[in-house]
Amino acid sequence: MLLSQRKAAVFRRYPFTLILKEEVLNPDVEPLRIKIDPGAKTTGLALVNDKTGEVVWVAELQHRGFQIRDALTSRRQLRRSRRNRKTRYRKPRGLNRTRPTGWLPPSLNSRVANILTWVKRLSLLCQINAISQELVRFDTQKMENPEISGITYQQGTLVGYEIREFLLSKWNRTCAYCGAKDTKLEVEHIQSRSKGGSNRVSNLCLACVPCNREKGNQDIKDFLKGKPDLMKQILGQAKRPLADAAAVNVTRWNLYFNLKKLGLPVEVGTGGRTKYNRTIRGLEKTHYWDAACVGESTPEQLITTRIKPLLITAKGHGTRQQCRTNKFGFPVRYCSRSKFHKGFQTGDIVKAVVTSGKKVGTHWGRVATRATGHFNISTTDGLVQGISHKYCKHIHKKDGYAYVA
């Protein structure tokens, strides 16, 4: 309506933001809370009005940590191969290098940097007064020793949510005894309570209803008497910690300390509370709805009508390679030193309206520039090659991300 009445203009395409053409004196701007659900591959983001319960904006941020890891591995292998071709002795270098406090591997640090980038970007576009972050996915201390937390945790509103979510991840949502999937799974005591078993997470697994009933209170050695390999596997898996969760928790603490530096109050919550909040509000399982349900501050009623998520993919800012190499690390072609060609650079989002030739039509996507002036455009339908720069028009300048609205 504001655009049609020419009272506003498009300030930014991603996220879609308007700027008013006339100043509003004494505006009544309601503050928003940014909520974050960090994940290993995808992070959910949401802007929520605590006062009205309205979900203003949601997004899913795809990280590129695995690409960074593979690129660093490839570089290390190529350098090692080159060193092996020359067998002269060279003194070790860099043995006295120390890592600074809070150091993270580049693949994990990029995920933290992506989230911080978007928190700062959203803070410039709207009034943010608080941050909510899912700090740890599982409260492992309470699960490992339930007795320390007392009856409040055992019989509170979150009873079972933390432990069940942990077990679903640990046992890959399958029955430990028969491997059944896509069926109702129950929490099973490996050593039954009637025979001295505890509620520690190392004594719990998941079992389908038939297996749980068949086992009853039998000892696992008697129940799996004819399957020694399966019994050994279950006992080993029960005592093994969830390594992925531990790695994610490391980055979440790093993210937490960096968010605190922004000067805004940071609320934290667990994955069990997030799932509880989402379930009682009847929302489907997605990263952005998980983000909207992080923490105790989640309003009783969330207004989620007409909300469409923005899908964000981290792409990086290119490379500093002076030439392109083959799979053996040998240079094969020249790499242009100029980033801009015909006013465009790789990573810009453009709209190309082609009026003649074999590629007639409208193409919208991320562009890869060439010195010849004929570009490639990555659209949602695939790659379109050889589009002249004369047909291209800027939609969004390169910022290291690709978008699907």
Side-chain angles (χ1 to χ4, degrees):
M1 182 179 65
L2 292 172
L3 288 174
S4 62
Q5 296 176 359
R6 298 186 178 181
K7 294 183 178 180
V10 177
F11 178 74
R12 190 179 183 88
R13 185 71 67 166
Y14 303 104
F16 190 76
T17 310
L18 298 181
I19 183 171
L20 297 177
K21 293 184 176 181
E22 296 182 1
E23 182 182 1
V24 178
L25 300 177
N26 301 321
D28 183 16
V29 180
E30 294 186 358
L32 302 176
R33 176 186 292 270
I34 183 169
K35 312 189 82 172
I36 307 169
D37 174 37
K41 298 179 181 178
T42 306
T43 290
L45 300 170
L47 290 176
V48 180
N49 188 327
D50 288 342
K51 184 177 179 181
T52 63
E54 179 183 4
V55 180
V56 177
W57 177 85
V58 294
E60 286 190 355
L61 174 58
Q62 297 281 344
H63 300 291
R64 57 190 296 266
F66 291 108
Q67 298 176 28
I68 294 174
R69 181 200 63 189
D70 294 341
L72 291 175
T73 301
S74 175
R75 186 182 70 176
R76 183 173 64 252
Q77 291 172 343
L78 292 174
R79 287 178 173 177
R80 186 169 296 171
S81 175
R82 287 198 296 267
R83 293 189 190 105
N84 290 338
R85 295 189 199 114
K86 299 182 179 180
T87 56
R88 69 178 178 86
Y89 174 76
R90 289 190 288 181
K91 294 177 62 176
R93 297 176 57 194
L95 297 182
N96 61 341
R97 297 173 185 171
T98 58
R99 293 172 177 172
T101 304
W103 179 89
L104 285 177
S107 57
L108 299 180
N109 188 62
S110 71
R111 187 162 63 89
V112 175
N114 288 338
I115 298 174
L116 290 174
T117 295
W118 275 94
V119 170
K120 295 176 182 177
R121 185 173 295 180
L122 294 172
S123 298
L124 295 175
L125 298 177
C126 53
Q127 184 174 336
I128 305 294
N129 69 338
I131 301 174
S132 294
Q133 177 202 354
E134 187 180 291
L135 181 61
V136 289
R137 189 174 182 185
F138 311 109
D139 195 340
T140 52
Q141 185 182 18
K142 288 183 178 179
M143 289 187 296
E144 191 60 38
N145 190 2
E147 290 78 11
I148 66 173
S149 56
I151 197 170
T152 303
Y153 177 81
Q154 292 292 318
Q155 299 179 1
T157 56
L158 292 178
V159 59
Y161 272 86
E162 298 278 0
I163 293 178
R164 183 169 179 82
E165 189 69 11
F166 180 86
L167 292 175
L168 286 171
S169 295
K170 185 173 184 177
W171 296 92
N172 297 320
R173 300 179 184 272
T174 61
C175 174
Y177 299 124
C178 67
K181 295 184 178 180
D182 301 324
T183 185
K184 183 179 179 180
L185 298 173
E186 298 177 340
V187 178
E188 155 72 5
H189 289 79
I190 297 176
Q191 183 180 0
S192 63
R193 292 293 305 280
S194 61
K195 295 186 178 181
S198 69
N199 284 325
R200 289 176 179 264
V201 73
S202 57
N203 189 46
L204 299 176
C205 68
L206 292 177
C208 61
V209 176
C211 288
N212 197 9
R213 291 179 178 176
E214 183 180 354
K215 179 177 180 294
N217 65 344
Q218 295 183 63
D219 189 277
I220 189 172
K221 296 180 181 179
D222 297 330
F223 180 62
L224 298 177
K225 187 175 181 180
K227 302 177 180 178
D229 294 337
L230 178 59
M231 181 182 67
K232 183 179 180 181
Q233 177 185 345
I234 292 175
L235 294 177
Q237 177 72 2
K239 295 181 180 179
R240 188 179 304 126
L242 196 58
D244 292 342
V248 170
N249 285 343
V250 170
T251 59
R252 286 176 178 172
W253 277 109
N254 187 286
L255 174 62
Y256 170 75
F257 292 128
N258 280 281
L259 290 175
K260 294 281 286 184
K261 294 178 182 178
L262 300 179
L264 294 173
V266 180
E267 175 198 43
V268 297
T270 63
R273 178 171 289 279
T274 299
K275 182 177 181 180
Y276 174 77
N277 290 341
R278 176 174 52 81
T279 302
I280 65 174
R281 287 163 180 79
L283 299 175
E284 60 179 334
K285 170 63 177 172
T286 60
H287 294 284
Y288 50 88
W289 290 139
D290 276 345
C293 296
V294 169
E296 296 182 9
S297 64
T298 306
E300 290 294 332
Q301 184 65 35
L302 288 176
I303 303 175
T304 61
T305 55
R306 302 180 65 182
I307 290 294
K308 185 177 180 181
L310 176 65
L311 306 182
I312 309 167
T313 304
K315 292 292 186 179
H317 293 276
T319 177
R320 293 190 293 270
Q321 279 186 334
Q322 296 183 357
C323 62
R324 298 290 183 252
T325 59
N326 59 13
K327 63 180 181 178
F328 301 106
F330 291 97
V332 291
R333 64 181 186 273
Y334 172 76
C335 181
S336 175
R337 299 270 55 82
S338 175
K339 287 179 176 264
F340 288 87
H341 299 291
K342 310 299 182 180
F344 299 87
Q345 68 172 324
T346 297
D348 290 347
I349 298 177
V350 301
K351 179 182 179 181
V353 181
V354 182
T355 57
S356 62
K358 297 181 180 180
K359 302 177 180 66
V360 174
T362 301
H363 310 286
W364 183 306
R366 210 163 177 266
V367 68
T369 61
R370 299 289 183 272
T372 59
H374 289 81
F375 305 153
N376 297 341
I377 301 177
S378 299
T379 68
T380 54
D381 298 326
L383 181 65
V384 182
Q385 297 181 334
I387 301 296
S388 173
H389 70 279
K390 298 179 181 179
Y391 297 121
C392 297
K393 177 183 177 182
H394 270 117
I395 297 298
H396 190 84
K397 293 295 184 69
K398 171 191 171 182
D399 60 359
Y401 298 91
Y403 306 92
V404 176

